[in-house]
């Protein structure tokens, strides 16, 4: 009878251990109340079965194990393989404590030693559970695969422990089997050490996959942000008709150059303007006029290597800025622009008619950027007047 009472208390303790290691459907207080109440009822049935002479293994399975399995499933938020693994594992460790207590009692014959081993073993289990509870719950929530194999292995060990404990007669009546049972306990504990490492590795692999997905998401987000930034840049600083930098980009660049202009010299500025664009628009339509503007931009891009800065600063006005460029280099680019326009006109109708002006500054006594731009602009208008007079 005293041994039966100790076993019932151990069953209640195992229920608490299980509740600590699972995500509960209800809050902890309500779950404990339901779990303890259910276990007390089951313990009553267990005690009645024992007094009626039912074999302990059968009584435990029928009145305790199967009903408690169903009750704990109701209290658990998540079912399936993680539930089965946790339930079987808790009971396995409780049975290990029971076997150790039985071995101590069989050797010494002192019932208090049996009680001491049961109490001490359960205290050790509680210490272990409180140590692993948080990471284990996190593993249950995050790890979605691998539980089936672990659950089947734990169920196998659970059944083996039941057979060892009660078949064909209780272990207390078969003291000669205690060394075998203890050896089996050692093997099971060693297997669970391997299982713990396996769960750790599965968790690491799962975290790695999560980190990989997170990194991929972050990269996609950064790529999207970069695309948005590029779009905003194009809307703010790029002329949509020609693809050249617009007036806003030119004004910001001018402010930047004025802060450190001397380091940009020698430099040159080339201003260009399409002649007779209004007449073209009036006579042939704005679509043809737009194509002429696009053709002028295309001619400039074909000449310039990309190091030069090219802007569309007005409807038909363009500017080429040449920083850290010698006078000889600027003259060569100037001639290349004229040659490119002439080459275009040989193959296309209507032709591009441009007015162009260039001004250069040196490093010894450079004029300011504004002065350089104004001088180039004046020369461009002088060229426009000469073109009109010549025509």
């Amino acid at each position: 009878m005293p041994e039966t009472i100790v076993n019932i208390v151990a069953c209640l303790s195992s229920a608490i251990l299980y509740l600590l290691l699972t995500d509960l459907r209800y809050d902890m207080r309500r779950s404990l109340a339901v779990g303890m109440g259910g276990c007390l009822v089951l313990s009553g049935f267990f005690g009645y079965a024992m007094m009626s002479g039912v074999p302990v293994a059968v009584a435990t399975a029928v009145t305790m194990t199967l009903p408690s399995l169903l009750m704990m499933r109701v209290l658990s938020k998540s079912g399936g393989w993680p539930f089965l693994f946790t339930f079987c594992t808790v009971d396995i460790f409780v049975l290990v404590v029971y076997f150790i207590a039985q071995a101590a009692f069989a050797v010494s014959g002192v019932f208090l030693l049996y009680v001491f081993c049961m109490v001490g073993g359960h205290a050790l289990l509680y210490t272990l559970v409180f140590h692993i509870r948080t990471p284990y719950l996190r593993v249950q929530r995050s790890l979605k695969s691998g539980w089936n194999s672990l659950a089947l292995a734990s169920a196998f060990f659970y059944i083996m422990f039941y057979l060892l404990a009660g078949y064909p007669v209780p272990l207390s009546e078969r003291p000669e089997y205690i060394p075998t049972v203890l050896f089996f306990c050692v093997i099971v504990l060693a297997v669970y050490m391997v299982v713990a490492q396996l769960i750790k590795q599965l968790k690491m692999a799962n975290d790695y996959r999560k980190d990989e997905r997170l990194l991929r998401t972050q990269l996609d987000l950064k790529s999207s942000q970069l695309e948005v930034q590029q779009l905003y840049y194009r809307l703010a600083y790029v002329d949509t008709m020609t693809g050249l930098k617009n007036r806003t980009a030119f004004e910001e660049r001018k402010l930047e150059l004025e802060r450190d202009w001397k380091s940009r010299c020698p430099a040159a500025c080339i201003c260009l303007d399409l002649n007779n664009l209004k007449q073209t628009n009036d006579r042939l339509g704005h679509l043809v006029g737009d194509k002429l503007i696009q053709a002028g931009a295309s001619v400039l891009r074909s000449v310039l290597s990309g190091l030069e800065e090219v802007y569309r600063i007005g409807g038909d006005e363009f500017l080429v800025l040449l920083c850290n460029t010698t006078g000889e280099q600027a003259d060569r680019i100037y001639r290349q622009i004229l040659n490119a326009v002439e080459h275009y006109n040989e193959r296309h109708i209507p032709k591009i008619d441009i007015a162009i002006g260039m001004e250069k500054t040196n490093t010894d006594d450079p004029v300011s950027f504004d002065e350089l731009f104004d001088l180039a602009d004046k020369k461009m208008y002088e060229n426009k007047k000469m073109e009109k007079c010549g025509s």
Side-chain angles (χ1 to χ4, degrees), residues 11-135:
C11 290
L12 294 173
S13 176
S14 66
I16 297 174
L17 289 172
Y18 172 78
L19 293 176
L20 291 172
L21 286 177
T22 190
D23 273 329
L24 299 173
R25 190 182 301 274
Y26 314 106
D27 61 84
M28 179 60 77
R29 181 178 299 180
R30 183 178 178 184
S31 297
L32 281 173
V34 174
M36 293 302 95
C39 285
L40 286 173
V41 173
L42 297 178
S43 298
F45 286 112
F46 175 72
Y48 177 77
M50 293 294 295
M51 288 187 293
S52 301
V54 178
V56 63
V58 176
T60 303
V62 174
T63 64
M64 296 291 288
T65 301
L66 294 177
S68 64
L69 178 68
L70 297 175
M71 181 177 64
M72 293 304 172
R73 175 62 188 88
V74 171
L75 294 175
S76 177
K77 183 185 297 183
S78 59
W81 298 114
F83 160 76
L84 181 61
F85 172 77
T86 305
F87 182 86
C88 292
T89 298
V90 169
D91 273 9
I92 285 171
F93 276 86
V94 170
L95 285 172
V96 168
V97 172
Y98 167 77
F99 288 141
I100 293 173
Q102 283 284 354
F105 179 58
V107 172
S108 64
V110 179
F111 181 71
L112 286 178
L113 183 60
Y114 172 81
V115 175
F116 176 80
C117 290
M118 290 289 285
V119 173
H122 278 267
L124 185 62
L125 288 179
Y126 275 100
T127 302
L128 176 63
V129 165
F130 279 112
H131 178 69
I132 69 168
R133 181 173 185 262
T134 300

Side-chain angles (χ1 to χ4, degrees), residues 288-359:
V288 175
D290 290 345
K291 288 184 177 180
L292 279 177
I293 294 174
Q294 292 170 340
S298 178
V299 166
L300 291 176
R301 277 197 297 267
S302 70
V303 171
L304 305 173
S305 63
L307 300 177
E308 306 84 358
E309 301 176 41
V310 189
Y311 302 87
R312 182 190 178 198
I313 59 175
D316 59 351
E317 298 177 25
F318 300 91
L319 180 141
V320 179
L321 178 61
L322 308 172
C323 294
N324 302 116
T325 305
T326 64
E328 292 80 5
Q329 292 172 326
D331 289 336
R332 184 175 67 253
I333 292 171
Y334 183 87
R335 290 191 298 270
Q336 287 175 343
I337 292 174
L338 294 176
N339 292 336
V341 170
E342 184 178 347
H343 182 64
Y344 175 87
N345 288 337
E346 290 174 355
R347 297 175 297 143
H348 296 87
I349 299 292
K351 298 180 180 181
I352 298 175
D353 184 11
I354 66 166
I356 184 169
M358 180 175 70
E359 184 61 33

Side-chain angles (χ1 to χ4, degrees), residues 110-366:
V110 179
F111 181 71
L112 286 178
L113 183 60
Y114 172 81
V115 175
F116 176 80
C117 290
M118 290 289 285
V119 173
H122 278 267
L124 185 62
L125 288 179
Y126 275 100
T127 302
L128 176 63
V129 165
F130 279 112
H131 178 69
I132 69 168
R133 181 173 185 262
T134 300
Y136 182 70
L137 289 175
R138 191 181 300 122
V139 167
Q140 286 187 70
R141 297 183 192 113
S142 61
L143 190 60
K144 302 303 180 184
S145 60
W147 289 105
N148 53 344
S149 299
L150 298 177
L152 291 174
S154 64
F156 170 76
F157 286 137
Y158 191 28
I159 294 170
M160 289 298 297
F161 269 125
Y162 255 100
L163 293 175
L164 288 172
Y167 184 81
V169 293
L171 184 63
S172 57
E173 300 176 17
R174 295 176 291 140
E176 68 276 10
Y177 282 92
I178 287 178
T180 303
V181 173
L182 292 178
F183 179 70
F184 185 70
C185 289
V186 172
I187 292 176
V188 171
L189 292 176
V191 170
Y192 266 96
M193 292 178 64
V194 175
V195 168
Q197 291 298 317
L198 177 61
I199 291 177
K200 184 178 180 181
Q201 292 178 2
L202 288 172
K203 176 67 167 54
M204 291 174 61
N206 187 65
D207 289 344
Y208 174 78
R209 287 192 293 270
K210 280 187 175 180
D211 291 341
E212 188 177 28
R213 289 194 295 269
L214 178 61
L215 179 60
R216 192 180 299 113
T217 302
Q218 290 175 337
L219 289 175
D220 291 342
L221 179 60
K222 288 183 178 179
S223 177
S224 299
Q225 290 174 339
L226 181 60
E227 290 176 1
V228 171
Q229 289 175 352
Q230 291 174 342
L231 176 61
Y232 284 157
Y233 178 84
R234 290 188 63 83
L235 290 174
Y237 298 108
V238 177
D239 176 57
T240 56
M241 182 185 293
T242 62
L244 301 178
K245 294 179 182 178
N246 61 17
R247 182 81 190 202
T248 303
F250 170 69
E251 294 296 339
E252 288 196 9
R253 179 59 170 158
K254 184 169 72 169
L255 293 175
E256 180 184 342
L257 291 172
E258 286 172 349
R259 290 193 294 267
D260 191 23
W261 177 238
K262 287 187 177 181
S263 66
R264 313 289 180 173
C265 297
C269 182
I270 304 175
C271 291
L272 303 100
D273 184 271
L274 296 184
N275 293 325
N276 305 316
L277 183 64
K278 184 179 184 305
Q279 290 84 341
T280 301
N281 288 333
D282 294 340
R283 187 163 42 89
L284 300 176
H286 285 274
L287 183 60
V288 175
D290 290 345
K291 288 184 177 180
L292 279 177
I293 294 174
Q294 292 170 340
S298 178
V299 166
L300 291 176
R301 277 197 297 267
S302 70
V303 171
L304 305 173
S305 63
L307 300 177
E308 306 84 358
E309 301 176 41
V310 189
Y311 302 87
R312 182 190 178 198
I313 59 175
D316 59 351
E317 298 177 25
F318 300 91
L319 180 141
V320 179
L321 178 61
L322 308 172
C323 294
N324 302 116
T325 305
T326 64
E328 292 80 5
Q329 292 172 326
D331 289 336
R332 184 175 67 253
I333 292 171
Y334 183 87
R335 290 191 298 270
Q336 287 175 343
I337 292 174
L338 294 176
N339 292 336
V341 170
E342 184 178 347
H343 182 64
Y344 175 87
N345 288 337
E346 290 174 355
R347 297 175 297 143
H348 296 87
I349 299 292
K351 298 180 180 181
I352 298 175
D353 184 11
I354 66 166
I356 184 169
M358 180 175 70
E359 184 61 33
K360 298 174 283 186
T361 186
N362 54 38
T363 55
D364 298 330
D365 186 22

